[in-house]
């Protein structure tokens, strides 16, 4: 059994705004194992990107604990030990925004090597960068002395990945790393990421709203909604036998490629829009959209409970906290009256 690389306990991240407090992360507990791809999926505003940034120390937590190989890192990046900063890195959604437009690819990819004293002089740095560019499938002869504005989106993201792996980290946060790219380039970048994880024995926190990508890469998956985890399971369990109504809703909107997959696909839709993280619903925060909600769901927030080995769910219906049962006929009737597009969160009728 792999050791835990990262342990997160009762993590909260609140942002105080003029209009009120945004509870971006509202008490989550999880682990990421050595050499594991932990997938985090959810709609916009669920708190998944904030989770990645808090793990990286870009935002300090409001409450809770984060440890990295048993070292406490529940602080912002500036307070962390240099050896730990070298061992963690992040790839952002917008590759262009994360690269300094005035620097060459050599300088950008070489910067972490210089910061962490991993090279002795420019010549050695160039040699390392040359190899890193080869690793991410960029021809060093062509790209080493170019600047970000001379690169395509996929090439920029490959440079960002080369920079992220330059210090040979154990852990990388991948925050929607392909969502800004053309579909044709997405597959190439995903293949690079999958190969690198294997070659470098890294752990990833892979953040996406794209369930297709998640299925290809994640060992375990957590689904997040308004700052909380609703379901955590091994990837095959998550996709084949989901238990939380919200997971079923998202999987129901996921395009399938075979008849077998289509048969397994849950036929369920959510109502309405995701509420504001500044004004959370009482009880279960999904109750405003859940087709199965009962009176108790409006009053009591369900805890994330292990319902089967390594399968955690936060729902009264599944947790046995009360005797709520699926009433499919009633749901079907209600669905005739309401049809919503979960992807665009847009009412159709
Ligand atoms: Fe739906 Fe109630 Fe379960 Fe929340 S606790 S997901 S409202 S059934």
């Amino acid at each position: 059994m792999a050791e835990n690389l990262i342990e997160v306990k009762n993590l909260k991240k609140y942002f105080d705004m003029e209009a009120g407090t945004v509870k971006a992360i509202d008490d989550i507990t999880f682990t990421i194992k050595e050499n594991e791809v932990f997938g985090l999926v959810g709609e916009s505003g669920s708190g998944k990107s904030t989770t990645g940034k808090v793990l990286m120390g870009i935002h300090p937590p409001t409450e809770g604990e984060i440890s990295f190989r048993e070292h406490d890192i529940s602080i912002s990046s500036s307070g962390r030990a240099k050896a730990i900063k070298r061992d963690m890195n992040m790839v952002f959604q917008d590759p262009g925004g994360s690269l300094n437009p005035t620097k060459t690819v050599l300088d950008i990819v070489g910067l972490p090597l210089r910061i962490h004293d991993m090279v002795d002089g420019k010549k050695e740095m160039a040699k390392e960068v040359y190899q890193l560019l080869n690793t991410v499938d960029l021809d060093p002869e062509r790209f080493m002395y170019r600047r970000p504005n001379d690169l395509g989106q996929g090439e920029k993201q490959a440079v960002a990945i080369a920079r992220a792996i330059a210090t040979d980290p154990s852990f990388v946060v991948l925050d929607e790393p392909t969502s800004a790219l053309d579909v044709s380039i997405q597959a190439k970048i995903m293949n690079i990421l999958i190969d690198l994880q294997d070659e470098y024995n890294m752990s990833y926190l892979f953040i996406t709203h794209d369930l297709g990508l998640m299925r290809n890469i994640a060992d375990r998956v957590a689904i997040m909604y308004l700052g909380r985890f609703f379901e955590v399971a091994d990837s095959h369990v998550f996709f084949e036998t989901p238990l939380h109504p919200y997971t079923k809703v998202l999987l129901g909107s996921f395009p399938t490629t075979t008849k077998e997959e289509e048969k397994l696909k849950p036929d369920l839709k959510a109502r309405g829009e995701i509420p504001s993280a500044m004004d959370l619903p009482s009880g279960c925060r999904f109750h405003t959209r859940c087709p199965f909600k009962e009176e108790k769901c409006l009053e009591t927030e369900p805890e994330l409970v292990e319902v089967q080995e390594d399968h955690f769910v936060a729902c009264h219906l599944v947790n046995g906290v009360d005797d709520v049962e699926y009433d499919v006929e009633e749901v079907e009737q209600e669905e005739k009256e309401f049809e919503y597009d979960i992807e665009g969160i847009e009412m159709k009728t």
Side-chain angles (χ1 to χ4, degrees):
M1 179 97 136
E3 298 285 318
N4 287 338
L5 176 70
I6 292 197
E7 293 184 22
V8 175
K9 282 188 196 150
N10 304 114
L11 183 68
K12 295 183 182 177
K13 180 64 199 175
Y14 296 170
F15 295 98
D16 289 322
M17 319 286 278
E18 256 181 45
T21 300
V22 175
K23 296 184 173 180
I25 304 174
D26 198 18
D27 201 351
I28 57 172
T29 295
F30 65 104
T31 58
I32 300 176
K33 296 180 173 55
E34 299 273 1
N35 204 18
E36 178 183 52
V37 178
F38 187 84
L40 192 49
V41 69
E43 295 170 81
S44 296
S46 59
K48 54 192 193 307
S49 288
T50 306
T51 302
K53 288 176 183 164
V54 172
L55 259 54
M56 288 303 300
I58 295 169
H59 301 306
T62 304
E63 267 183 56
E65 294 167 25
I66 311 167
S67 65
F68 180 84
R69 291 205 178 108
E70 299 186 353
H71 296 281
D72 181 16
I73 56 163
S74 320
I75 46 176
S76 62
S77 174
S78 58
R80 293 181 182 178
K82 206 172 173 187
I84 287 180
K85 285 198 259 188
R86 172 178 154 171
D87 219 5
M88 305 175 76
N89 226 322
M90 183 159 181
V91 174
F92 295 88
Q93 180 178 359
D94 174 15
S98 72
L99 305 178
N100 185 336
T102 66
K103 299 290 183 188
T104 63
V105 169
L106 171 63
D107 289 330
I108 290 168
V109 178
L111 184 64
L113 295 168
R114 282 177 37 221
I115 289 174
H116 292 286
D117 301 321
M118 295 176 75
V119 285
D120 191 8
K122 268 221 152 188
K123 203 169 165 190
E124 198 180 322
M125 183 177 96
K127 203 170 137 197
E128 288 293 323
V129 172
Y130 191 99
Q131 281 178 355
L132 284 162
L133 293 182
N134 267 329
T135 308
V136 296
D137 224 7
L138 284 180
D139 179 358
E141 309 283 348
R142 282 181 59 206
F143 290 99
M144 195 109 116
Y145 297 99
R146 289 198 192 175
R147 289 184 164 74
N149 289 344
D150 303 326
L151 305 174
Q153 286 295 94
E155 290 158 356
K156 285 180 192 169
Q157 197 58 303
V159 169
I161 293 167
R163 178 180 58 184
I165 61 164
T167 56
D168 194 12
S170 305
F171 175 64
V172 178
V173 175
L174 301 166
D175 186 5
E176 304 260 12
T178 59
S179 63
L181 309 178
D182 288 346
V183 176
S184 56
I185 303 166
Q186 280 185 5
K188 185 179 170 186
I189 295 293
M190 282 306 293
N191 286 337
I192 290 172
L193 291 169
I194 290 168
D195 289 347
L196 286 174
Q197 195 252 339
D198 200 33
E199 192 182 328
Y200 284 64
N201 291 323
M202 289 183 283
S203 300
Y204 287 160
L205 173 66
F206 184 76
I207 297 168
T208 186
H209 64 273
D210 186 329
L211 290 163
L213 292 181
M214 188 62 88
R215 195 171 194 168
N216 284 337
I217 192 168
D219 297 308
R220 276 190 305 146
V221 181
I223 191 159
M224 198 168 186
Y225 186 84
L226 285 176
R228 300 272 281 203
F229 282 0
F230 276 177
E231 184 156 12
V232 185
D234 285 347
S235 185
H236 70 95
V237 174
F238 182 89
F239 283 99
E240 286 161 26
T241 52
L243 292 174
H244 196 285
Y246 181 57
T247 312
K248 294 183 179 204
V249 163
L250 284 193
L251 289 177
S253 64
F254 172 48
T256 51
T257 50
T258 65
K259 279 185 183 166
E260 286 70 30
E261 282 181 354
E262 191 61 33
K263 264 191 236 162
L264 283 171
K265 195 165 124 174
D267 185 15
L268 205 58
K269 291 182 177 68
R271 304 163 182 168
E273 298 180 8
I274 189 166
S276 163
M278 217 179 273
D279 186 19
L280 295 170
S282 62
C284 173
R285 53 194 72 193
F286 188 53
H287 86 249
T288 55
R289 304 172 73 196
C290 182
F292 304 115
K293 74 165 183 246
E294 291 275 317
E295 204 57 39
K296 287 176 188 173
C297 303
L298 278 58
E299 294 157 8
T300 313
E301 176 127 57
E303 294 296 323
L304 192 70
V305 172
E306 188 170 19
V307 292
Q308 291 159 7
E309 194 179 357
D310 296 326
H311 190 170
F312 298 81
V313 182
C315 171
H316 295 316
L317 180 80
V318 183
N319 295 357
V321 172
D322 60 31
D323 53 5
V324 181
E325 284 178 1
Y326 283 91
D327 185 340
V328 174
E329 273 185 20
E330 187 184 326
V331 170
E332 281 175 352
Q333 178 55 37
E334 290 185 6
E335 278 177 1
K336 282 180 189 158
E337 295 165 26
F338 298 93
E339 190 185 346
Y340 293 90
D341 178 357
I342 187 73
E343 275 292 311
I345 321 297
E346 209 175 271
M347 200 192 293
K348 284 180 182 166
T349 59

